[in-house]
Amino acid sequence: MGVRSLRRWAAIHKWTSLVCAVFLLLFCLTGLPLIFKHELRELLSEDPPYAVLPADTPRANLDAVVAAARKRHPDHVPMFVFVDDDEPKVTVGMLPSPTAPPAQTRQLKFDARTGELLKETEPAAASGPDFLDVMLRLHRDLFAGLAGELFLGAMGLVFAASVVSGVVLYAPFMRRLEFGTVRWRRGRRLRWLDLHNLMGIVTTAWVLVVAVTGVLNELSRPLFQLYQLTDVQAMLAPYRGRAVPALDRLSSIEAAYVLVQRELPGRTPTSVVFPTNRVGSPHHFLVWTKGSSPLTGRLFTPVLVDAERGELSMVVDLPWHLRAIQVSRPLHFGDYGGLPLKFIWAVLDLVTIVVLASGLYLWLSRRRAPIDVELAELEGVADEA
Amino acid sequence: MRPSAVWRWPLLLAAATLLGLGAALLGEGGVWWGLSWTALVLPLAVMAFCMLRR
C-alpha cells in the first residue's frame, strides 16, 4: 500500500471510529442485557405459573377470550390477539381508542387452555418502562422515536465503515508479523496495538454482520410504514368506499384463525390484528403467520381475512427488502441457537468493547507522526528484537 | 510475509464465523446448533490461544 493511500485509510479509520465511539459503547453496553432479554424477563416475571394440564388440552376459543377482555374493559377496543406457540398463553392488546398511541396499550394475558385471565399489564405510558425497556430504547432510538432510529442507524453505518477501514489497515501492520503476534514486553502501546489488531480481526465477520443487521432493523419501521402507505393501500383499493364494519358486527376471530390454519398448511398463525388497528386493513383481520423451520419461522407472512364475511381475502407476498429485515432480526439478536449462542454473542460483545477501548487508548497515546512514519518506526523496533 | 499469508487466518476465521451464523439459521436444531457453536467459538479460541502463548 502506498504512503498516500495508507494515510487516507488511517484518517478514515480514525474519524469514523471517533464519530461512532460513544454510540458503539452504548450499543455494546445496552445490547449485553438485551441478548438475555427472554431469560431476564422470565427470571423477573412475577406472573402466576401456568396450570398443569394434559399436553393435548384444546386451546380456548379466541372469541371468548376477546369477549372476556372487552367485558373487563368496556371503554377499550381490542387491537390484536397474540397466540403464543412457546407458552400456553393468549395475549389481548387493547387501546382506549383506535387512534390512541401504542404506548397506551393494555395487555391482558390469558391461559390459552382455560381462557382464564392470568395477568394484566398496565400501559407502559402509565407504569413507566422497566429496566429492559430502558435498555431497548437506548439501544434502538435513544428515546427519540423515528429520528433516533435513523440517527443510530447512521451511526451503525459509520461503525461498519470504521471496521472496513480497520481491516484495510490490518495488512500493512501485519505484513512482517506472524498472525496473532502480541508483543507483550515492548511497551504498553505496542502491546495494545497488537491486541487491538488481533481482537479486531478475529471478530470482524461477526461485528460486521451485527452492525449491518442492526442498521436494517433501524430501517424496519419506516420501510414497513411506507409499504403500508403504498402497496397495502393498493391491495385494499377494491374495498375503498365500503363502510368500515363496526366492532360488534365483526365475524369470528376464532374462525379467522382456524381458517388460516387450515388454508395454509405448514404455517402457524401467531397473531390476529383487528380492523380497528391502524396497522393493516379497516375491512380485514390481519393474521400474521410464520413457518416452522428456524429460517421460515422468522419470515412472517400477513394473511387478510374479510372481517365481515369471514372469507380468506389474500395472502400478502412481502417484498424482498422487508424479507431481508425479517431475516436480519435473529442475526442481530443472536436468539436462534439456544443459550450457548447467546453466551457466544455476549463474549463477542465484550471483546468488541475491548477493541473499542484499546482503539481509543491508541488514539489518546498517539505519536504526533504520520502513520507511515510510525509504522516504519514500529517495524524498526521489531527488527531490533 | 506474502500478502496471501497475512490474510490466511483472518479469512479462515471469517469463514468459520459465517458458517456458524448460517448453520443455526438454516439448519434445524440438534447437530446444526452444535456446528454453529463450534464454528463461532473457533475465532475466540484462536484469539485466546494467541494471547496465552507468551
Side-chain angles (χ1 to χ4, degrees):
Chain A
M1 188 185 292
V3 170
R4 276 186 58 184
S5 106
L6 182 65
R7 286 186 185 177
R8 192 178 305 136
W9 281 108
I12 294 174
H13 191 55
K14 177 174 84 179
W15 286 110
T16 50
S17 304
L18 286 176
V19 165
C20 71
V22 175
F23 300 100
L24 177 61
L25 186 62
L26 175 86
F27 288 143
C28 289
L29 292 177
T30 56
L32 207 49
L34 289 174
I35 297 171
F36 301 101
K37 192 170 82 177
H38 190 77
E39 287 74 15
L40 288 172
R41 280 243 185 274
E42 229 159 61
L43 201 70
L44 301 173
S45 161
E46 289 165 3
D47 298 7
Y50 294 105
V52 181
L53 294 170
D56 56 355
T57 312
R59 181 177 48 72
N61 187 300
L62 295 179
D63 292 315
V65 171
V66 171
R70 290 188 65 194
K71 196 173 167 197
R72 197 170 161 85
H73 293 287
D75 54 342
H76 278 56
V77 275
M79 302 308 273
F80 65 84
V81 179
F82 170 70
V83 184
D84 204 341
D85 65 341
D86 199 23
E87 292 172 36
K89 75 170 180 199
V90 172
T91 308
V92 180
M94 305 184 91
L95 275 178
S97 79
T99 50
Q104 291 183 14
T105 304
R106 180 178 283 282
Q107 289 197 25
L108 286 81
K109 175 177 161 184
F110 293 86
D111 187 305
R113 298 132 331 154
T114 60
E116 190 188 339
L117 180 69
L118 294 177
K119 190 197 171 193
E120 189 165 341
T121 310
E122 294 293 315
S127 61
D130 65 13
F131 170 72
L132 284 171
D133 292 332
V134 172
M135 291 298 112
L136 178 62
R137 293 298 304 273
L138 287 173
H139 193 86
R140 193 181 62 196
D141 63 8
L142 295 169
F143 288 95
L146 181 60
E149 287 172 9
L150 295 177
F151 175 75
L152 289 183
M155 284 303 120
L157 279 182
V158 173
F159 172 55
S162 148
V163 174
V164 170
S165 57
V167 171
V168 173
L169 288 174
Y170 177 81
F173 273 92
M174 296 303 291
R175 67 186 164 190
R176 296 165 79 167
L177 296 173
E178 206 181 306
F179 172 81
T181 305
V182 182
R183 289 163 287 185
W184 291 99
R185 290 178 199 83
R186 305 209 62 88
R188 195 197 287 180
R189 189 174 151 78
L190 208 50
R191 180 163 70 236
W192 278 110
L193 173 68
D194 289 344
L195 286 171
H196 181 80
N197 283 340
L198 172 59
M199 296 172 125
I201 204 69
V202 302
T203 53
T204 295
W206 177 82
V207 106
L208 269 181
V209 167
V210 174
V212 170
T213 52
V215 172
L216 281 174
N217 274 308
E218 296 287 33
L219 295 177
S220 161
R221 189 150 52 150
L223 288 181
F224 269 96
Q225 277 172 357
L226 187 67
Y227 177 70
Q228 170 85 15
L229 286 175
T230 54
D231 296 37
V232 174
Q233 291 313 310
M235 283 175 218
L236 298 177
Y239 294 87
R240 211 161 284 150
R242 241 173 75 176
V244 174
L247 200 52
D248 293 312
R249 281 188 43 228
L250 296 183
S251 60
S252 158
I253 305 135
E254 175 69 23
Y257 186 91
V258 174
L259 174 73
V260 171
Q261 221 169 14
R262 196 178 59 227
E263 294 294 318
L264 283 88
R267 298 201 68 84
T268 310
T270 59
S271 62
V272 183
V273 176
F274 276 78
T276 35
N277 203 314
R278 272 172 296 184
V279 177
S281 154
H283 304 284
H284 297 88
F285 288 118
L286 189 160
V287 185
W288 283 102
T289 66
K290 65 174 190 179
S292 53
S293 79
L295 183 63
T296 60
R298 306 289 175 158
L299 298 175
F300 294 90
T301 297
V303 179
L304 295 178
V305 176
D306 192 300
E308 276 181 295
R309 298 171 201 170
E311 299 156 357
L312 195 138
S313 298
M314 66 181 99
V315 179
V316 182
D317 198 15
L318 288 181
W320 68 270
H321 65 278
L322 298 183
R323 288 280 179 226
I325 287 174
Q326 290 180 330
V327 177
S328 78
R329 287 186 184 139
L331 285 170
H332 189 74
F333 304 155
D335 61 351
Y336 63 104
L339 203 52
L341 189 69
K342 296 188 181 190
F343 278 111
I344 293 170
W345 234 250
V347 173
L348 288 163
D349 180 304
L350 292 171
V351 173
T352 306
I353 296 179
V354 179
V355 175
L356 163 72
S358 57
L360 273 179
Y361 164 73
L362 290 169
W363 174 67
L364 289 170
S365 67
R366 68 196 176 281
R367 299 278 314 281
R368 299 279 169 190
I371 187 163
D372 45 297
V373 176
E374 197 186 353
L375 192 56
E377 278 178 23
L378 285 176
E379 288 180 343
V381 172
D383 287 344
E384 285 165 27
Chain B
M1 205 187 290
R2 288 198 328 274
S4 62
V6 170
W7 292 113
R8 191 181 301 141
W9 274 99
L11 283 177
L12 192 74
L13 297 178
T17 303
L18 295 180
L19 174 76
L21 292 174
L25 193 62
L26 299 173
E28 293 198 29
V31 66
W32 292 101
W33 279 17
L35 177 65
S36 168
W37 303 332
T38 312
L40 284 170
V41 159
L42 194 67
L44 292 168
V46 168
M47 181 187 81
F49 174 78
C50 290
M51 285 160 70
L52 291 173
R53 54 144 202 214
R54 293 199 177 197

